[in-house]
Amino acid sequence: MHDDRTGQIAVIFLSHRTDADDAGYGEAAEAMGKLASRQPGYRGIDSTRGPDGLGITISYWMDEESALAWRANPEHSAIRNTGREIWYENYEVIVARIARNYAWARS
Amino acid sequence: MHDDRTGQIAVIFLSHRTDADDAGYGEAAEAMGKLASRQPGYRGIDSTRGPDGLGITISYWMDEESALAWRANPEHSAIRNTGREIWYENYEVIVARIARNYAWARS
């Protein structure tokens, strides 16, 4: 969690799942993570989902161009349709440019 | 989750907790949430922590000035010290300016 991310694009994905098709969702999430990591400009991902059902996934991109290219990836587009049909109750996407970041760890 | 957040500042807080003092942490988290919501320029918060221990909290601010004022709030500063002493194994703070956002909900 300690790279300098200044100037990177953070794509924040907030979601609530339906109760449907946990197995298919899990497989797709894993496949999309791998696919994203092979996109040009990929700079990492942080993802978690809490017991109240809110999931937050943040993917990091070198620049706007690489973030938009990931959005346009055909496999990613297709899986988003499945997400709206089956897996998600609602979601929000927030695209932001990182101004600064810093980290702390117990020594 | 559906406000237009263009131009807002997102302060992303990624953390892993220690095993220590769950009760004190829970109380402080709730108190900080309330305190933040009374700060000028506050525009909301999304927060979750998954079973693997990664917590992601995103607070939204009208502008850089209000985000910095929250950082400088004396009660918030004091509780951050306690966080480093007791509650956190590690954390990262990422400050980003929101370029655009959109939402979808099952109808």
Side-chain angles (χ1 to χ4, degrees), chain B residues 52-87:
Chain B
D52 67 346
L54 174 63
I56 303 180
T57 296
I58 308 172
S59 61
Y60 306 94
W61 301 91
M62 185 178 68
D63 52 22
E64 273 276 3
E65 187 181 12
S66 51
L68 292 169
W70 169 235
R71 187 181 176 187
N73 177 295
E75 288 178 70
H76 186 204
S77 296
I79 213 85
R80 284 202 303 274
N81 290 335
T82 311
R84 285 187 292 265
E85 285 166 12
I86 300 177
W87 296 319

Side-chain angles (χ1 to χ4, degrees), chain A residues 1 88 92-93 95 99 101 106, chain B residues 1 88 92 95 99 101 106:
Chain A
M1 303 202 305
Y88 292 116
E92 180 174 5
V93 179
V95 180
N101 70 311
R106 187 168 299 277
Chain B
M1 302 200 304
Y88 291 116
E92 180 174 5
V95 180
N101 70 311
R106 188 169 297 279

